[in-house]
Amino acid sequence: MNNRKIIRKSKVLTDKENILKSVLMATEAVAKPEDIKNLQRIVLSTTLTTNAVVQNQLDPVGLVVMNGPGVSPKDLPLYDKANYIAGYMSHRGIEAEAPDRAELAELKEKFKKENITRFAIVGKFSTRNPVHEQEVDAYLDDIAEHASQSHQLSGALNFPRRIATTYLNEAVWGLQRKLADQLKTYMDKLGVKVPLYILKADGGTIEVEASREMPVQTILSGPAATIMGVLPYVSPEKDSISVDIGGTTTDIALFADGVPLLEPQGITIEDHKTSVRGLLTHSIGVGGDSHVRVEDGVLLLGPERLGAAMAFGGPVPTTTDALVVLGIADIGDKDKAMDAMKQLAAELGKTPEDVARQVVDLACTLIVEKINAMLAEINSKPVYTIHELLEGRRIEPKEVLVVGGPAPYMAKRIGEMMDCPVRVPNDSDVINASGAATARTTVELNIVADTEAQVLSIAEEGVQQKISNRFTLDDVIELGTEKLVRKAKEAGARDEDIVVEVADSQVFNVVRGYSTIGKNMRVRLQVKPGLIKDESN
């Protein structure tokens, strides 16, 4: 791409066992030697960590939780995987109980016997004071291949979400490390020294080396890339829906006056409620390669994918085969697609063409039903965009944007079913890649300042510093902005793409003996997600 214009595009098959080979093939398919010399950045959108979580292909993790009083372990996520130990901080970050060394020694021996070398360490109020997490990490260091501390992944207080986030971060760490190693080799082979990023769930980018420590941020990278790709096409004056129809799934997102909706507390994946900031998307197991079959005289579609369409030599009938038979899609081998529909027609007592129409209608019906369910859920609670809370706002889409490989063939029927105008943007087949290519680098900081204790804490960095008892909210924002800009630049952001915003700020009086003796201030700052300014990329 250059100035957001696509110069060349291509697609290659993904070799899950050799990502390096796939990325090199894709690059060679689109980039000429002169393009390589002029590259300014490379961005990868990936489903690697997402698929690992969805398919439960996660590495063993020693999950250590310091839950303190007030909450039963049975009420916390991953109860069956967690190891609970003593030690907790008060809500103000003051040590209330130290970790038990004998208990830690016993736990260490257990991990040795079970050959567990990766650890997730979580304390209830560690975002106010991370010392206990740091102590446990240090104690396990000689048997650890790697460890994740919750305060480094999220500055939010939400204890259950931090447990899930830290566990997932460590469970996909090995997978992300392997990917990062392959991408380093890729850059060496390419012979260029430019920033290499991976897209995050919030639609921003993170440098590959940074992603080694925070792989959980790359979960739901794929759907986020689509949203960023659709962003230039949505109207700023009306609500819209984007529908990305892939081979295995369809991802759905909503826009309020052109701005994508956000998961305010964090994304949810496979019942894991995390504190990972992310754009709001819902997925359904319907795609071009979805397996179509007849069971007890009923036509069923998805959610599994058993291979490519029979039109491309695949093993079972798919949605794509139906599109080919109807002449809607002029791709693949039509005779093989006809054979696929004949298999189903024989079981249903219909013509292949009738079955093909039924398959396409079923796929579109399932997608529309998911859209309606998503709208009903969203409109039953406060609406958050990436910029603000829209109190009392209802999302009422006036346009549907359909993207992905099958988009041109299914868009019209989806629009008819929804009684809503529908549009297929240019280059919709590579909208995911174009979204990744133009996304900003995003980072955030959570800061707590206590003027009575004269301490300021930055959760993600695990640091505390002394402040004056006259420190104000403006002082917190000024100091935090300076650190956030530095952090964004370290992550690879350009000056012109750093737009800092205060995502949340709260001030509470500290009262003792009927007198106010200080203030407790909490601020969350972020680089606003969005698209980079026009420039070669």
Side-chain angles (χ1 to χ4, degrees):
M1 296 185 76
N2 186 298
N3 286 333
R4 296 201 196 151
K5 299 288 190 297
I6 294 175
I7 304 167
R8 241 168 270 118
K9 64 180 180 179
S10 183
K11 288 195 173 191
V12 300
L13 290 174
T14 301
D15 183 346
K16 293 181 180 178
E17 302 305 313
N18 193 340
I19 298 295
L20 174 60
K21 175 186 170 186
S22 299
V23 177
L24 279 169
M25 286 174 60
T27 304
E28 290 166 1
V30 294
K32 296 177 180 178
E34 58 269 27
D35 297 322
I36 301 293
K37 290 176 188 174
N38 293 322
L39 276 174
Q40 292 198 1
R41 66 185 212 146
I42 302 172
V43 190
L44 178 74
S45 153
T46 173
T47 58
L48 198 67
T49 51
T50 304
N51 290 344
V53 178
V54 170
Q55 296 167 17
N56 198 29
Q57 295 174 347
L58 302 171
D59 290 335
V61 173
L63 176 57
V64 183
V65 178
M66 293 168 276
N67 63 310
V71 57
S72 167
K74 290 183 178 179
D75 294 330
L76 294 171
L78 298 161
Y79 164 69
D80 57 329
K81 296 182 184 298
N83 301 273
Y84 297 93
I85 63 170
Y88 72 97
M89 295 288 176
S90 74
H91 67 282
R92 293 184 65 192
I94 300 168
E95 184 176 72
E97 179 184 40
D100 186 321
R101 288 280 162 169
E103 193 175 37
L104 276 173
E106 188 178 323
L107 185 59
K108 190 173 186 177
E109 286 304 311
K110 176 191 172 189
F111 288 146
K112 281 183 182 177
K113 287 178 184 176
E114 295 175 354
N115 199 29
I116 291 176
T117 60
R118 296 174 188 171
F119 305 106
I121 305 162
V122 194
K124 187 189 292 182
F125 288 110
S126 63
T127 54
R128 299 285 166 80
N129 187 339
V131 168
H132 287 168
E133 289 187 355
Q134 293 166 344
E135 286 179 2
V136 173
D137 190 343
Y139 191 83
L140 297 173
D141 184 62
D142 60 327
I143 65 167
E145 182 184 13
H146 189 262
S148 296
Q149 299 176 38
S150 79
H151 74 274
Q152 295 175 330
L153 300 172
S154 171
L157 271 180
N158 195 307
F159 185 42
R161 284 183 179 269
R162 274 191 294 114
I163 291 174
T165 303
T166 313
Y167 167 77
L168 288 179
N169 194 70
E170 200 58 35
V172 299
W173 175 81
L175 193 66
Q176 185 67 21
R177 181 187 62 170
K178 182 180 177 182
L179 174 64
D181 287 344
Q182 290 187 337
L183 290 173
K184 185 177 185 303
T185 303
Y186 163 72
M187 294 298 286
D188 291 342
K189 287 181 180 290
L190 216 54
V192 294
K193 291 186 177 180
V194 297
L196 173 61
Y197 301 96
I198 292 182
L199 203 80
K200 301 187 298 177
D202 68 354
T205 64
I206 182 173
E207 274 203 308
V208 167
E209 285 306 304
S211 77
R212 288 177 185 269
E213 291 304 309
M214 294 188 287
V216 72
Q217 294 284 349
T218 69
I219 291 172
L220 297 187
S221 164
T226 295
I227 292 174
M228 303 314 287
V230 168
L231 203 51
Y233 298 97
V234 297
S235 169
E237 298 166 355
K238 56 188 174 187
D239 299 344
S240 310
I241 302 172
S242 73
V243 179
D244 180 9
I245 308 172
T248 307
T249 62
T250 292
D251 299 320
I252 302 160
L254 301 176
F255 299 78
D257 293 332
V259 181
L261 301 195
L262 182 77
E263 292 279 19
Q265 291 186 298
I267 61 173
T268 299
I269 180 167
E270 291 300 298
D271 296 327
H272 295 291
K273 293 183 177 180
T274 77
S275 55
V276 176
R277 176 182 169 82
L279 302 175
L280 192 152
T281 63
H282 284 200
S283 298
I284 181 174
V286 174
D289 295 334
S290 292
H291 178 205
V292 183
R293 64 211 177 275
V294 176
E295 292 182 10
D296 298 325
V298 178
L299 187 70
L300 300 176
L301 186 150
E304 64 283 323
R305 174 187 186 273
L306 300 181
M310 287 179 65
F312 292 97
V316 295
T318 69
T319 314
T320 297
D321 293 312
L323 292 166
V324 172
V325 165
L326 292 175
I328 299 173
D330 185 16
I331 53 176
D333 187 323
K334 188 164 184 177
D335 289 337
K336 289 182 179 179
M338 183 63 77
D339 289 341
M341 292 301 104
K342 283 179 179 177
Q343 287 182 24
L344 302 172
E347 295 185 69
L348 291 170
K350 295 183 177 181
T351 67
E353 291 79 8
D354 283 343
V355 171
R357 276 187 285 272
Q358 191 177 343
V359 169
V360 174
D361 264 14
L362 177 58
C364 293
T365 297
L366 291 171
I367 291 169
V368 170
E369 286 176 350
K370 183 68 175 179
I371 291 171
N372 290 334
M374 186 176 177
L375 282 168
E377 180 186 340
I378 296 303
N379 285 330
S380 68
K381 56 190 179 185
V383 174
Y384 290 81
T385 71
I386 59 174
H387 299 164
E388 60 186 330
L389 162 65
L390 303 179
E391 199 72 61
R393 176 75 149 77
R394 286 184 61 82
I395 303 299
E396 297 178 348
K398 302 299 182 188
E399 183 176 45
V400 183
L401 292 101
V402 186
V403 300
Y409 317 122
M410 297 171 66
K412 182 182 176 184
R413 190 70 185 112
I414 290 172
E416 288 171 352
M417 288 182 173
M418 293 196 65
D419 192 22
C420 188
V422 67
R423 187 155 54 105
V424 179
N426 294 333
D427 297 305
S428 71
D429 55 330
V430 291
I431 207 89
N432 184 287
S434 65
T438 53
R440 284 181 192 158
T441 299
T442 56
V443 290
E444 74 171 37
L445 283 179
N446 285 265
I447 306 166
V448 177
D450 187 331
T451 61
E452 190 234 348
Q454 297 183 37
V455 171
L456 179 142
S457 303
I458 301 177
E460 291 85 354
E461 296 189 352
V463 298
Q464 293 185 320
Q465 65 185 65
K466 292 288 290 181
I467 57 171
S468 160
N469 58 8
R470 294 186 296 276
F471 220 65
T472 66
L473 181 64
D474 287 342
D475 293 330
V476 176
I477 293 171
E478 182 180 350
L479 183 148
T481 298
E482 181 183 316
K483 290 184 179 294
L484 185 72
V485 169
R486 188 194 71 228
K487 188 176 180 182
K489 288 181 179 179
E490 288 171 353
R494 305 177 307 176
D495 287 337
E496 59 266 37
D497 294 322
I498 300 176
V499 181
V500 177
E501 65 178 353
V502 180
D504 188 31
S505 67
Q506 301 174 56
V507 180
F508 303 94
N509 288 329
V510 178
V511 178
R512 189 172 294 126
Y514 304 104
S515 298
T516 299
I517 58 171
K519 292 187 181 296
N520 189 287
M521 295 172 281
R522 305 167 194 175
V523 174
R524 180 162 63 86
L525 297 169
Q526 68 184 30
V527 172
K528 187 186 297 186
L531 304 180
I532 60 172
K533 293 190 181 298
D534 284 359
E535 197 172 314
S536 301
N537 55 84

